[in-house]
Amino acid sequence: MLHSTPSSSFHHTTTLHPCSSPSLLSASSYSSSHHAWLPLRHFSFQTRPLRLNNLRTHNHFSLTTPKALKVNCSTSEPLKIMISGAPASGKGTQCELIVQKFGLVHISTGDLLRAEVAAGTEIGNKAKEFMYSGRLVPDEIVTAMVAERLSREDAKQRGWLLDGYPRSFSQAESLEKMQIRPDLYIVLDVPDEILIDRCVGRRLDPVTGKIYHIKFFPPESEEIKARLVTRPDDTEEKVKSRLEIYKQNAEAVSSSYSNITKKIDGSRSKEEVFKEVESLLSQLQQNKEIQRTLGKSILNTKKGSGSSSQDTWRGIPTRLNNIPHSREIRKYFYNDVIQATQRAVNDGRTRLKVDINIPELNPEMDVYRIGTLMELVRGLALSFADDGKRVKVCVQGSMGEGALAGMPLQLAGSRKILEFMDWGDYGAKGTFINIGSIGAAEVEEQDDLYILVAPQNAVGNCIIDNLRAMTNAAEHRPVILINARLKDLPGSSGIMQTMGRDQRLKYAASFESCYFFRLLYYAGTQYPIMGAIRMSYPYRYELYKRVDEPSGKEKYVILSTFPERPTTDEINDTFEGKPRNETRKGSGIWGFLSGIL
Ligand code: AP5
């Protein structure tokens, strides 16, 4: 039997993570090309100075900005790979081979910067002193270059291979904000002593752009040998400094991609290394093809006639029972909620609700993480604020007095937390974001949208009247309930409140789901997860089964989709593989699902 109200006895403290990361840069008109040493047929200096003062910075987790930079992640899209590793670990060498075989657009920040230096641009002049001393070039310069390059059509069409970026946690954050994520994060692992040897012996051919090594890959002729150049940052002293900087940042960067990281032993011959890389990429390509075929059938069944697709959805993350959830998993869900809610609001929907009960956000259990909920609310609020909307985030206040204060335990102190949260450095709080309570008195002329944090009835007190008054006052403006619990609770005397119950339930049902995510378990258990239901506006409800793979990993496989939230019988039948209209069975292993939703 499955049920969908997971609980857990795990405990942890959720830290509030400021969403701040300094720089997210919009695309400028800047244009650069590849390798400073590439021959002219590969290489054109269409470089125009980057106008740093034109770059707009954001501090929010934003879906809508910068629109031009959005990298489409549809299931049919080409490969998106990041390659990382210490200086001279062989990134450039492997990239040459990958490009030859897979035709991806190679974007190397080192090459882009060297091209700027060679062209003597403003950026080049700024970058030079950092590069030559083995330090990292400031984020705002590098991020703008990468964002611009990724936004070009060839990268979207052919896929990309990002080399040397992100190199710091804030760079990784910038990519996240732009919703740019690779399919695979390759780390070339090479011991330090080899690295120094490789760097010091590296030579570059300014005519062909080819990478040589005086010992390992000597040039083919005396003529080539005579024209080889050494990179100014390839001295032993500078390599050591670069290596140190790499080590300081490596862990923070790779933590952003932990579930898609593949570490490869880069100390072997370049052919051996490439064999492993090639096999990984080929496998990935095959998987994409399978997903594309599957994706077609999912998209064909989507609700409504809108043309938008779930093009940024990456499948359900795994290891959801591991608590605390990784930052990545939390962000994943925030992102999923934000996209769905934005679509619903953009479609003119005004009474919306989000229900999400991953263990960290399950409002019914002791693991209900107020910090995680607040992070979600912040992400959502800022995504609207980024669009210039004035958002009021409201938490219900006390509904009673003394021992019967009527404040649900989970919400105690949440208003204070909201007040103290980091809402960004750009003065969003107080202008675009305001904090209030649930009630008609909070509705003000200038508000554009309301986000209500987990409104819920408490024993003996019903939030619905306050809520109704507020939504009436809000009129046509969107009101979004996050993890509301509007079912009737017994009164303090233990007797169900019956007065006006029908109207209350009707009112509660008037909110349309714009996002729904629920894990499925056997009834009465909290482990293992059996599956999940997900709905992201305007698409259908999707029913997934969790499958353990022989490798020890797990995955979620879609079983079916539904126009409305599936009933317990429908879930049971689908898990049993019954055709949709078959008579429902009342018993059996899946048959005693009851009251799960
Ligand atoms: P960048 O050019 O990216 O330098 P790097 O990361 O230090 O990497 P390298 O180019 O030195 O090495 P590689 O791993 O590509 O190795 P390669 O294949 O050439 O960046 C340069 C500078 O730009 C940075 O220091 C920084 O200042 C700035 N910058 C760049 N990105 C930035 C960012 N995101 N943010 C801020 N600043 C940034 O191989 C090395 C040698 O080994 C070659 O001679 C090769 O022939 C040989 N070799 C390769 N593979 C093998 C093998 N398997 N066996 C034997 N030899 C091999």
Side-chain angles (χ1 to χ4, degrees):
M1 165 161 75
L2 297 172
H3 75 127
S4 62
T5 48
S7 174
S8 166
S9 52
F10 298 104
H11 288 268
H12 82 114
T13 312
T14 299
T15 329
L16 297 176
H17 289 269
C19 70
S20 59
S21 169
S23 50
L24 173 58
L25 305 166
S26 65
S28 71
S29 56
Y30 161 83
S31 167
S32 176
S33 187
H34 309 289
H35 205 293
W37 294 278
L38 285 182
L40 282 176
R41 69 174 188 281
H42 293 252
F43 184 44
S44 61
F45 276 116
Q46 304 156 340
T47 316
R48 271 188 276 150
L50 178 66
R51 295 197 308 266
L52 288 170
N53 54 349
N54 279 354
L55 298 173
R56 183 178 157 220
T57 58
H58 291 258
N59 200 36
H60 315 316
F61 182 68
S62 162
L63 276 169
T64 47
T65 50
K67 288 191 175 88
L69 299 179
K70 189 174 162 214
V71 172
N72 194 327
C73 303
S74 73
T75 46
S76 59
E77 69 173 14
L79 293 177
K80 295 171 297 184
I81 309 294
M82 275 181 191
I83 189 160
S84 152
S89 54
K91 302 183 291 294
T93 303
Q94 292 302 318
C95 285
E96 275 180 23
L97 300 169
I98 295 171
V99 169
Q100 273 168 29
K101 167 89 193 193
F102 295 92
L104 305 181
V105 172
H106 178 206
I107 302 171
S108 152
T109 41
D111 287 352
L112 289 172
L113 287 166
R114 281 184 287 273
E116 294 293 335
V117 173
T121 64
E122 190 187 333
I123 287 183
N125 293 335
K126 277 185 203 292
K128 194 156 61 180
E129 60 170 289
F130 293 95
M131 296 175 74
Y132 288 2
S133 59
R135 287 176 294 150
L136 291 184
V137 174
D139 283 357
E140 62 271 21
I141 295 179
V142 190
T143 300
M145 286 174 36
V146 171
E148 189 280 332
R149 190 62 192 87
L150 281 169
S151 71
R152 289 201 216 160
E153 211 44 42
D154 60 345
K156 289 181 185 166
Q157 297 297 327
R158 283 163 45 201
W160 44 258
L161 174 60
L162 202 44
D163 164 8
Y165 190 97
R167 228 177 253 241
S168 64
F169 184 67
S170 62
Q171 291 182 2
E173 287 263 273
S174 298
L175 285 184
E176 280 291 305
K177 286 179 187 168
M178 290 184 271
Q179 297 191 293
I180 296 171
R181 253 191 104 75
D183 303 311
L184 179 67
Y185 182 74
I186 298 174
V187 180
L188 296 178
D189 191 26
V190 180
D192 292 3
E193 40 314 341
I194 300 186
L195 292 172
I196 295 174
D197 216 19
R198 282 190 188 175
C199 245
V200 176
R202 171 170 41 199
R203 298 291 181 272
L204 297 152
D205 184 345
V207 178
T208 63
K210 219 170 151 185
I211 306 169
Y212 291 96
H213 190 280
I214 44 172
K215 221 171 8 179
F216 310 128
F217 306 112
E220 296 86 352
S221 67
E222 283 301 314
E223 189 193 344
I224 297 175
K225 189 177 175 187
R227 66 182 187 227
L228 294 184
V229 293
T230 307
R231 263 170 52 173
D233 56 348
D234 270 352
T235 63
E236 185 167 343
E237 186 196 343
K238 285 172 189 166
V239 175
K240 283 183 176 161
S241 151
R242 285 158 59 198
L243 191 52
E244 199 46 48
I245 292 174
Y246 169 76
K247 286 179 178 171
Q248 282 163 12
N249 288 296
E251 203 174 309
V253 176
S254 61
S255 70
S256 305
Y257 304 108
S258 51
N259 66 341
I260 47 168
T261 297
K262 179 70 192 166
K263 206 177 222 182
I264 292 181
D265 174 6
S267 62
R268 297 167 294 168
S269 76
K270 74 172 177 183
E271 291 78 15
E272 276 178 281
V273 176
F274 183 63
K275 215 167 153 191
E276 192 173 343
V277 170
E278 185 186 17
S279 138
L280 277 171
L281 266 54
S282 301
Q283 182 66 50
L284 199 59
Q285 231 171 14
Q286 265 178 30
N287 290 350
K288 286 208 161 211
E289 187 50 34
I290 294 166
Q291 277 175 24
R292 191 182 65 80
T293 321
L294 260 177
K296 269 187 194 161
S297 59
I298 295 172
L299 293 177
N300 287 343
T301 55
K302 79 180 186 200
K303 250 190 195 173
S305 56
S307 61
S308 61
S309 68
Q310 305 194 61
D311 55 4
T312 52
W313 193 60
R314 303 193 312 273
I316 293 174
T318 54
R319 307 277 170 236
L320 286 173
N321 255 345
N322 291 355
I323 297 181
H325 291 330
S326 65
R327 188 154 191 263
E328 197 178 26
I329 287 184
R330 296 202 312 273
K331 276 189 150 185
Y332 166 91
F333 279 108
Y334 304 158
N335 200 7
D336 213 19
V337 169
I338 290 170
Q339 291 194 45
T341 313
Q342 287 263 2
R343 285 194 293 258
V345 170
N346 290 339
D347 274 2
R349 310 294 170 134
T350 56
R351 297 293 173 264
L352 295 167
K353 62 179 173 182
V354 168
D355 282 297
I356 170 168
N357 83 343
I358 52 169
E360 283 210 345
L361 278 174
N362 180 3
E364 301 184 13
M365 300 300 166
D366 61 342
V367 289
Y368 189 38
R369 305 297 175 190
I370 202 69
T372 312
L373 181 73
M374 294 303 169
E375 265 194 340
L376 168 68
V377 167
R378 175 176 57 191
L380 188 60
L382 288 174
S383 76
F384 286 108
D386 259 2
D387 277 351
K389 293 196 172 75
R390 289 171 181 267
V391 182
K392 190 162 274 173
V393 178
C394 300
V395 190
Q396 73 194 64
S398 165
M399 294 182 289
E401 283 174 8
L404 295 177
M407 164 64 84
L409 262 187
Q410 295 97 326
L411 293 178
S414 48
R415 166 117 190 212
K416 275 269 173 292
I417 297 174
L418 280 171
E419 298 277 1
F420 287 126
M421 275 175 94
D422 177 0
W423 290 94
D425 300 334
Y426 296 94
K429 185 155 168 272
T431 52
F432 289 102
I433 306 281
N434 283 291
I435 315 291
S437 315
I438 293 178
E442 292 289 345
V443 175
E444 292 177 284
E445 185 67 31
Q446 71 270 17
D447 303 334
D448 291 317
L449 181 141
Y450 301 88
I451 296 177
L452 276 44
V453 184
Q456 51 197 286
N457 296 323
V459 173
N461 289 287
C462 182
I463 185 70
I464 287 194
D465 289 339
N466 292 355
L467 205 52
R468 199 194 326 252
M470 184 168 189
T471 46
N472 287 345
E475 296 178 326
H476 59 278
R477 289 172 281 185
V479 177
I480 303 159
L481 313 183
I482 311 291
N483 276 357
R485 295 175 72 197
L486 301 183
K487 63 187 176 195
D488 269 10
L489 291 179
S492 50
S493 57
I495 299 166
M496 207 71 178
Q497 299 161 309
T498 47
M499 289 256 294
R501 185 160 185 258
D502 283 354
Q503 285 100 315
R504 286 198 296 274
L505 293 181
K506 200 169 156 204
Y507 173 75
S510 68
F511 286 82
E512 177 186 4
S513 259
C514 62
Y515 186 81
F516 184 88
F517 186 91
R518 202 163 267 215
L519 291 168
L520 298 171
Y521 299 81
Y522 282 112
T525 68
Q526 299 147 15
Y527 186 84
I529 297 169
M530 301 305 297
I533 303 174
R534 171 183 177 266
M535 192 283 289
S536 161
Y537 178 93
Y539 306 102
R540 291 164 64 105
Y541 284 82
E542 298 154 356
L543 177 61
Y544 292 86
K545 181 178 180 180
R546 192 187 65 82
V547 177
D548 287 309
E549 295 187 289
S551 60
K553 292 190 172 163
E554 61 177 17
K555 64 179 177 188
Y556 285 83
V557 177
I558 189 158
L559 296 180
S560 190
T561 67
F562 301 82
E564 303 299 334
R565 200 163 92 187
T567 62
T568 53
D569 284 338
E570 284 172 323
I571 296 170
N572 276 334
D573 287 352
T574 311
F575 268 77
E576 279 187 279
K578 280 188 187 170
R580 192 63 65 75
N581 288 332
E582 195 175 325
T583 320
R584 288 166 188 152
K585 201 162 76 173
S587 62
I589 185 165
W590 303 102
F592 47 101
L593 272 166
S594 58
I596 69 157
L597 298 172

